[in-house]
Amino acid sequence: MTWWRESDWLTRSGLVCLAVLVLVTVVGTVFGIGGDPGAMVGPRLAPPGGEYLLGTDQLGRSMLPRLFEGIGTTLLLSTLAVLVTAVLATLLGIAAGYYGGWLGEVVMRLVEVLYSFPTIVLAILVAAVAGPGQAATMCSIILITIPLMTRVVRASAVTVAERDYVTSAVISGAGWPRILMRHLVPNLSGTIAVQGTYALSVGILVEGGLSFLGFGVQPPQSSLGALIQQGSTYLLTAPWLVIVPGIVLIVAILAINVFGDGLRDGLEPREARSLV
Amino acid sequence: MRLFSWWLRRALSAVVTLFLVSILIFAASRLMPGGFAEVVLGPFATPEQKAEVAAKYGLDESIVVQYWLWLTTALTGDFGISMISGEPVTTEFGLRLPVTAELALFGVAAALLIGVPLGVWTAVRAGGRRGRAALGRLASGLGVSVPEFVLGSIVVFLFSRYALGLTVGGYVPVGEDPVGNLQSMLLPAAVLSVFVIAVTARTTRDAVLGVLVEPYITAAIARGESPGFIVVRHVLRNASIPVVTVLTTVTAYLLGGAVIIEYLFNLPGVGTYIVQAVGRRDYAVVQAGVLLAAVVFIVMNTLTDAAAGVLDPRFGSAAKGRKR
């Protein structure tokens, strides 16, 4: 773990925060801590503390298990979507950067078209076509994160394609699957990992925003965005319904972002200089 | 001349992208479930009534004909009529654009007057000690990590509970009451600015850090030039391209409608209108709104490239020399 030793405290705490969040959610969900998320057990809009640790919502459902379910939904949706993005963007980026030609032109044109939409507007359009729900949310995340990732992978693929080991592999008669899997993908993996973490934070943000507008995850399913959307009706009487999932959302995105920054600085160390 | 032909090619490419974008938007709005006739007539409409509505609004033509009609009339500035209000879409957007433009103005001003200086300042003081650099990263990370609907909700809660002379939600036109307008716009503008400032500062910081390690800065330090002079004279122009890019992207994003902020603060802007139009299946409005956002984006991107050509004279020639 040389990476761990070389990283600074911020990068490490980002990773630790994320791991704790995932662990708590998994444990909470598996052991059913706080009871059934769908059961209307308590008084309505009870404040946090006492029997219901994080209070109850407008239907008397305990917020703690709803929060576990919400974190799980949000992270799962975003992670799955980003995995799809990573695979597609890697293939498209290599197609554009290594093979080039008309294929590259087509790929870059498609990327340019997707890049022309402001993110939330694109997400709204997708939700309007596919109908609000988890499928629309995942599609939106994929379409929103693909352009940037493809561009960055392409830029890296252009430089990797000029390296001597690729040339010698071509000369020794290696087929394209071998060049792809043995030379291109391993040397692009750092770039993909960094872009993947950023895409994950974008994905969580998109899920939240789309669900907040009512086009994303639909009740009774909970997600961080859906919890905030449902809670915002009772903002003045029961602020904890918004503040608790809001803080979790901020912590998750922040942890991923600082971890991504650290990862990037580790892979592409830069000199820094102070003028004052 | 070389630069001019480069610009020309860039503009042509933007037109092609725009064309593809328009096809995509048109196809998307036709794929939306629940036909317009059902929305207007309700669930108990007879097929004859539906056919009548379809004929009235041109929905019975083939899809290619519909696209062509839409595109050709759109190019003359006519985006059809809102099927809900019966008013021209252009009129409807005209009513809402001032709200969005005002919000965008605040956002861009914040980016320019606070974001850029903040980025330069943190970059110039960044190097050296590791702990301090991490703190800077944490602060800028926090700014881009707080979703606007979370921050917005917290602000709405605080200012609704403890009224501090600011209006929460709603909009007062400037013409009616300039002070009231400012009171109603201050909170949404502030929430918007947090993200905009953080993004601008981050990008500026990265750009300046990249320039600071260049040999000509070493030379300037060796000549004994003051830090302020070095920043103004050597750093700003060389770091300007990413900064200009982020500024134009932010502008385009804001003009396309800061959807979530407008929705949250109940501002009658373009963003809120698009969200409502999707819910009502108001085809013409959705098409025009999304297209408007995309046009602004593409125009801004093209202008950014033009600006990059001016700021860095190598741009035009490099594009010609290197194929990749």
Side-chain angles (χ1 to χ4, degrees), chain A residues 3-111:
Chain A
W3 175 84
W4 182 262
R5 252 183 290 117
E6 283 165 14
S7 58
D8 61 2
W9 61 268
L10 188 60
T11 314
R12 288 180 209 168
S13 29
L15 190 62
V16 169
C17 262
L18 205 59
V20 168
L21 197 65
V22 172
L23 199 68
V24 166
T25 307
V26 168
V27 168
T29 312
V30 169
F31 292 98
I33 295 173
D36 177 5
M40 299 166 208
V41 285
R44 294 175 183 189
L45 302 178
E51 192 182 345
Y52 307 102
L53 196 61
L54 295 178
T56 59
D57 68 1
Q58 71 278 12
L59 296 174
R61 291 174 294 193
S62 176
M63 279 301 284
L64 186 64
R66 303 246 315 139
L67 188 67
F68 287 144
E69 188 189 312
I71 303 171
T73 310
T74 297
L75 287 183
L76 215 57
L77 270 183
S78 322
T79 311
L80 282 177
V82 168
L83 284 178
V84 174
T85 296
V87 172
L88 288 178
T90 305
L91 293 176
L92 291 174
I94 288 175
Y98 178 69
Y99 294 101
W102 66 267
L103 187 63
E105 290 288 322
V106 171
V107 167
M108 290 328 281
R109 184 58 72 180
L110 280 178
V111 164

Side-chain angles (χ1 to χ4, degrees), chain B residues 5-295:
Chain B
S5 77
W6 178 69
W7 278 346
L8 197 68
R9 261 189 300 146
R10 195 63 195 77
L12 276 179
S13 156
V15 171
V16 174
T17 305
L18 204 51
F19 179 65
L20 294 173
V21 163
S22 77
I23 291 181
L24 192 71
I25 293 171
F26 184 83
S29 55
R30 278 300 173 273
L31 285 172
M32 289 177 195
F36 173 65
E38 279 87 346
V39 174
V40 172
L41 298 167
F44 303 113
T46 62
E48 290 78 33
Q49 284 174 312
K50 285 185 189 171
E52 197 183 318
V53 168
K56 186 177 172 197
Y57 291 101
L59 297 175
D60 54 351
E61 302 279 356
S62 84
I63 203 99
V64 180
V65 174
Q66 284 189 40
Y67 170 72
W68 185 246
L69 283 175
W70 173 68
L71 186 70
T72 44
T73 46
L75 284 176
T76 65
D78 178 3
F79 287 92
I81 55 168
S82 158
M83 298 194 255
I84 298 297
S85 70
E87 295 288 322
V89 171
T90 325
T91 314
E92 294 278 355
F93 274 97
L95 287 173
R96 290 161 173 91
L97 209 53
V99 183
T100 300
E102 192 185 346
L103 202 57
L105 192 70
F106 280 117
V108 174
L112 204 59
L113 300 178
I114 305 176
V116 175
L118 196 65
V120 173
W121 185 70
T122 51
V124 166
R125 302 176 60 90
R129 272 174 286 163
R130 227 173 164 192
R132 203 167 64 181
L135 270 184
R137 249 174 63 205
L138 181 64
S140 78
L142 198 60
V144 292
S145 300
V146 178
E148 38 197 16
F149 56 93
V150 174
L151 184 63
S153 296
I154 294 172
V155 165
V156 166
F157 168 66
L158 288 178
F159 283 83
S160 303
R161 182 158 281 192
Y162 314 101
L164 297 172
L166 295 167
T167 318
V168 181
Y171 177 74
V172 184
V174 195
E176 242 168 60
D177 175 8
V179 178
N181 170 269
L182 214 58
Q183 282 174 336
S184 66
M185 289 303 266
L186 207 62
L187 288 181
V191 172
L192 187 79
S193 299
V194 170
F195 176 75
V196 166
I197 289 172
V199 171
T200 316
R202 245 167 108 96
T203 312
T204 308
R205 183 170 182 274
D206 275 355
V208 171
L209 281 178
V211 172
L212 282 181
V213 294
E214 294 283 345
Y216 51 79
I217 303 292
T218 315
I221 295 173
R223 281 196 298 273
E225 292 175 9
S226 75
F229 183 80
I230 293 176
V231 167
V232 173
R233 187 66 204 266
H234 302 289
V235 174
L236 285 185
R237 180 162 181 170
N238 283 299
S240 60
I241 289 179
V243 177
V244 169
T245 306
V246 75
L247 284 174
T248 50
T249 309
V250 162
T251 313
Y253 157 80
L254 292 177
L255 281 177
V259 180
I260 290 177
I261 301 266
E262 286 184 8
Y263 178 82
L264 181 68
F265 284 93
N266 208 3
L267 297 175
V270 173
T272 310
Y273 192 43
I274 297 177
V275 172
Q276 290 169 345
V278 169
R280 299 166 178 165
R281 312 233 171 285
D282 202 346
Y283 284 156
V285 172
V286 177
Q287 281 173 348
V290 180
L291 189 64
L292 177 77
V295 168

Side-chain angles (χ1 to χ4, degrees), chain A residues 207-230:
Chain A
E207 186 280 314
L210 204 55
S211 299
F212 180 74
L213 292 175
F215 297 132
V217 174
Q218 299 293 308
Q221 174 81 30
S222 96
S223 78
L224 289 175
L227 285 177
I228 293 170
Q229 191 259 333
Q230 288 156 36

Side-chain angles (χ1 to χ4, degrees), chain B residues 296-307:
Chain B
V296 172
F297 234 82
I298 294 171
V299 168
M300 281 298 185
N301 276 341
T302 313
L303 286 181
T304 309
D305 282 355

